[in-house]
Amino acid sequence: MATTSVAVPDTPLIRLALARADDALVLGHRLSEWTGHAPTLEEDLALANIALDLIGQARSLYALAGEDCGLDEDALAYRRDERAYRNLLLVEQPNGDFARTIVRQFLYAAFIDAWWQAMTASCEPRLAAIAGKAEKETAYHLRHSAEWLIRLGDGTAESHRRAQAALDALFPFAAEMFEPVTAAAFDVAPASLREGWDRQVDAVLATAGLTRPAAPWSHSGGRAGRHTEHLGHLLSEMQYLQRVHPGATW
Amino acid sequence: MYSQGLNQAETDDTADATRAARFQARIDAEDKIEPNDWMPEAYRRTLIRQISQHAHSEIVGMLPEGNWITRAPSLRRKAALLAKVQDEGGHGLYLYAAAETLGATREELVDQLLAGRAKYSSIFNYPTLTWADIGAIGWLVDGAAIMNQIPLCRCSFGPYARAMIRVCKEESFHQRQGYEIMLTLCRGTPEQKAMAQDALDRWWWPCLMMFGPPDTESQHSDTSMKWKIKRFTNDGLRQKFIDATVPQGHFLGLTFPDPELRRDEATGHWSHGPIDWEEFKRVVAGGGFCAADRLAARRKAHEEGEWVREAAAAHAAKRAAKLAASKEAA
Ligand SMILES: [Fe+2]
Ligand SMILES: [Fe+2]
């Protein structure tokens, strides 16, 4: 039967590049949904900037994965199904209110910024090169989201309540970030960054006057393509033109 | 008291007349007027109205194109469209800042927009129905905006002129990008080419209306010309746009939805069929197809963002208070 979907071989490099590319693309896509609807004009521009950085990172990573499997960035982004997407469940969660968006960004940025920093020393030079650029961008994403989280935690009773509710809702998705993606020598084991992440999150939450949720359980499955129901809707919107017009050039 | 007041008014009038003459002389000499310079109240009001309408147009204009960011058909197009819409937001920001130099605040201007009391460009009340609309908007709407705005780079009011120089550079990039989308579609599959033709059919006439009513009906032109806020008439700019755009459309292999469009061999200009000014009036009066949706989207963003803006203000006030207390203690 004819299908517009592509099959991607599984090597450690492709697996790692796709997992990180999918994280960046899905989160960038989510942030881009704010464009024109943010709480202030300045935030409209800031969220679009972060989205652009993330989409740019995704493109570099898809290009890298593509070098090893002969598919271009658009085939990888637009022609894989939900079950083939490897992103973290955290990044596909809907924007919700501004507090949700900020908490999602903060939890992710506090991890990925440290990961990219560590990856600048990767023995795979193509990954190290991407890391060098990405790390500068994610440092800004972390600063931006931490500053907002502090404003929201400290600001008014309403903003505090919303920020705490967002933390409570999203914390169960945080542990998935520390699962191994590959055991390759060029990869940095996410678990090695856990302590630093805990310290950083605790420090920002303390300044913001927010409470770290106990998170009695955590969700996982994204790396195996078992997603929440949200991803399918995101992909059907994102992929529809490529799916309706197979083979067309845009 | 009464006579004193009267005398005072007379002195003001004479002084104003002298200042007004000096002001006009500066404008005639192509001097830039800066925010702290004396200016007639009507000049200030005209500029606040024009600059704020322009700013609102940039902001509302983010919505029709934003409608396609999540559905852009390739990663390159997605990034380019997101960056373009972000640029439009940036244009809004510089323009509100230019209006603020005249004593208006961004809050009051935005309130006027949300209350439906301020105008914005009628073009953004048309819907974006297919991906080709993103190409057509870049090519035609940004193209028309450039025609309107290039002369504004020489506007007599310094902050507006300077904002326009920066804006025009970005608009011409948008225009090329939009045309390139159209070119790709026109060289693509028959479905893609049909999509491009359909977009041109829907956007062409509304784009011609972007230049405003015909010169015979335009209200503000004379004073705006005298003050060098405006340098060309609506019809003059519209003609320039048509002359520049028609050959581009023919190069794409598209047909303009105007059976009367033809080149006048004597003048070299393209003459066009009648514009539906009734439609224009209806859109300007608030009856645009998407007007209710556009305002509703802006109001929703504003209302849902209120607690965020309050939180930021409350946090800043708390920090300032803490800083003051720690300075006192030290
Ligand atoms: Fe613009
Ligand atoms: Fe533009």
Side-chain angles (χ1 to χ4, degrees):
Chain A
M1 200 182 74
T3 170
T4 58
S5 295
V6 294
V8 185
D10 186 31
T11 69
L13 185 70
I14 291 176
R15 197 182 324 144
L16 180 62
L18 276 188
R20 293 291 171 225
D22 291 350
D23 287 347
L25 178 60
V26 170
L27 186 55
H29 182 100
R30 279 288 185 231
L31 291 174
S32 79
E33 293 171 356
W34 274 103
T35 311
H37 308 281
T40 64
L41 191 44
E42 285 79 359
E43 247 351 82
D44 246 322
L45 304 189
L47 294 174
N49 246 336
I50 298 173
L52 279 168
D53 287 344
L54 290 169
I55 292 168
Q57 292 171 11
R59 293 181 68 186
S60 308
L61 288 160
Y62 286 135
L64 174 56
E67 279 175 30
D68 283 24
C69 67
L71 291 163
D72 67 17
E73 58 175 24
D74 290 328
L76 291 169
Y78 289 87
R79 291 164 60 201
R80 275 181 307 135
D81 296 334
E82 192 180 343
R83 296 281 284 112
Y85 257 72
R86 292 287 176 259
N87 61 279
L88 296 163
L89 304 179
L90 174 68
V91 296
E92 72 199 34
Q93 297 310 301
N95 286 339
D97 64 7
F98 186 69
R100 276 278 176 123
T101 292
I102 289 298
V103 167
R104 185 184 62 198
Q105 196 66 40
F106 172 68
L107 297 178
Y108 176 71
F111 163 73
I112 203 69
D113 184 50
W115 190 79
W116 281 126
Q117 262 181 42
M119 283 297 289
T120 57
S122 170
C123 59
E124 163 53 70
R126 294 173 295 173
L127 276 171
I130 296 174
K133 181 163 183 287
E135 183 272 317
K136 290 189 192 73
E137 295 165 347
T138 53
Y140 162 68
H141 306 171
L142 176 58
R143 201 166 62 240
H144 171 267
S145 56
E147 284 171 359
W148 265 112
L149 192 53
I150 291 168
R151 278 185 206 113
L152 297 182
D154 178 63
T156 63
E158 182 179 8
S159 68
H160 181 91
R161 176 181 61 71
R162 286 176 183 264
Q164 188 64 52
L167 272 173
D168 295 347
L170 293 175
F171 230 78
F173 294 103
E176 192 186 13
M177 294 189 291
F178 301 99
E179 291 173 4
V181 179
T182 75
F186 54 72
D187 192 1
V188 168
S192 66
L193 305 169
R194 177 86 209 212
E195 249 175 68
W197 184 84
D198 280 334
R199 261 199 314 277
Q200 184 143 38
V201 167
D202 288 343
V204 170
L205 293 189
T207 315
L210 294 164
T211 312
R212 180 176 176 138
W217 54 75
S218 54
H219 302 302
S220 107
R223 299 299 189 208
R226 287 190 309 275
H227 292 277
T228 60
E229 290 175 351
H230 306 295
L231 183 69
H233 295 281
L234 183 153
L235 293 181
S236 41
E237 188 173 338
M238 185 172 90
Q239 297 181 339
Y240 109 87
L241 274 173
Q242 287 266 351
R243 298 291 196 175
V244 171
H245 300 271
T249 305
W250 299 95
Chain B
M1 279 304 272
Y2 176 70
S3 68
Q4 198 184 1
L6 197 68
N7 287 343
Q8 189 63 41
E10 269 175 9
T11 337
D12 274 1
D13 275 356
T14 343
D16 269 8
T18 323
R19 281 187 293 200
R22 209 181 310 140
F23 172 83
Q24 189 59 48
R26 286 185 61 193
I27 289 197
D28 294 343
E30 298 285 334
D31 231 10
K32 288 277 177 269
I33 306 300
E34 295 300 330
N36 293 328
D37 297 348
W38 182 88
M39 62 186 80
E41 260 324 288
Y43 177 83
R44 183 187 301 276
R45 275 198 311 273
T46 302
L47 274 168
I48 291 177
R49 191 186 59 236
Q50 181 171 334
I51 297 173
S52 61
Q53 283 179 8
H54 192 166
H56 300 328
S57 301
E58 300 284 358
I59 300 308
V60 176
M62 295 171 80
L63 298 171
E65 291 186 277
N67 185 35
W68 279 89
I69 292 172
T70 56
R71 291 179 289 170
S74 72
L75 293 181
R76 179 171 79 92
R77 295 292 185 202
K78 191 186 203 65
L81 178 59
L82 181 52
K84 180 199 194 254
V85 177
Q86 186 194 35
D87 284 349
E88 307 301 3
H91 299 169
L93 210 55
Y94 325 140
L95 286 161
Y96 284 126
E100 284 186 318
T101 67
L102 289 161
T105 67
R106 203 211 292 186
E107 289 71 27
E108 67 183 284
L109 298 174
V110 168
D111 284 346
Q112 287 168 8
L113 172 69
L114 298 179
R117 281 184 280 116
K119 290 195 164 60
Y120 56 86
S121 180
S122 55
I123 197 74
F124 299 119
N125 286 326
Y126 292 86
T128 50
L129 301 180
T130 74
W131 172 250
D133 291 23
I134 299 307
I137 288 183
W139 172 37
L140 301 171
V141 175
D142 286 79
I146 294 165
M147 285 293 170
N148 268 325
Q149 291 170 14
I150 293 243
L152 288 172
C153 298
R154 294 189 291 131
C155 165
S156 59
F157 185 57
Y160 194 24
R162 289 188 290 272
M164 279 305 103
I165 291 171
R166 195 162 161 191
V167 165
C168 278
K169 275 190 201 137
E170 293 178 352
E171 300 297 14
S172 57
F173 180 69
H174 299 164
Q175 200 259 352
R176 284 199 299 278
Q177 198 168 268
Y179 189 72
E180 201 256 316
I181 290 176
M182 294 300 272
L183 194 61
T184 307
L185 293 174
C186 289
R187 289 178 178 168
T189 65
E191 288 89 347
Q192 286 177 304
K193 176 134 193 213
M195 206 186 263
Q197 180 63 57
D198 169 58
L200 176 60
D201 291 346
R202 284 181 290 110
W203 289 95
W204 177 245
W205 290 108
C207 281
L208 297 188
M209 296 176 197
M210 282 177 72
F211 297 92
D215 295 345
T216 46
E217 286 171 36
S218 181
Q219 303 162 4
H220 307 294
S221 275
D222 291 350
T223 8
S224 289
M225 290 271 199
K226 185 182 90 182
W227 283 333
K228 298 198 175 154
I229 295 173
K230 206 176 157 86
R231 290 180 185 260
F232 296 96
T233 67
N234 294 351
D235 287 336
L237 288 169
R238 186 166 17 245
Q239 188 62 54
K240 268 179 133 153
F241 172 74
I242 295 172
D243 290 343
T245 308
V246 169
Q248 295 170 353
H250 289 159
F251 181 79
L252 293 174
L254 296 176
T255 310
F256 286 84
D258 177 359
E260 291 175 47
L261 190 69
R262 57 180 52 84
R263 192 159 178 272
D264 181 330
E265 290 305 330
T267 63
H269 293 304
W270 286 86
S271 62
H272 59 88
I275 294 174
D276 182 355
W277 292 114
E278 289 313 309
E279 173 176 327
F280 176 72
K281 280 178 199 151
R282 194 184 69 228
V283 178
V284 169
F289 191 71
C290 295
D293 290 342
R294 300 291 184 242
L295 271 190
R298 288 312 310 156
R299 283 189 192 124
K300 183 168 183 281
H302 190 78
E303 281 159 18
E304 289 179 357
E306 188 150 19
W307 69 269
V308 178
R309 297 189 299 274
E310 279 170 9
H315 171 71
K318 283 184 197 175
R319 274 184 64 151
K322 261 188 216 157
L323 200 69
S326 71
K327 266 190 193 153
E328 217 155 274

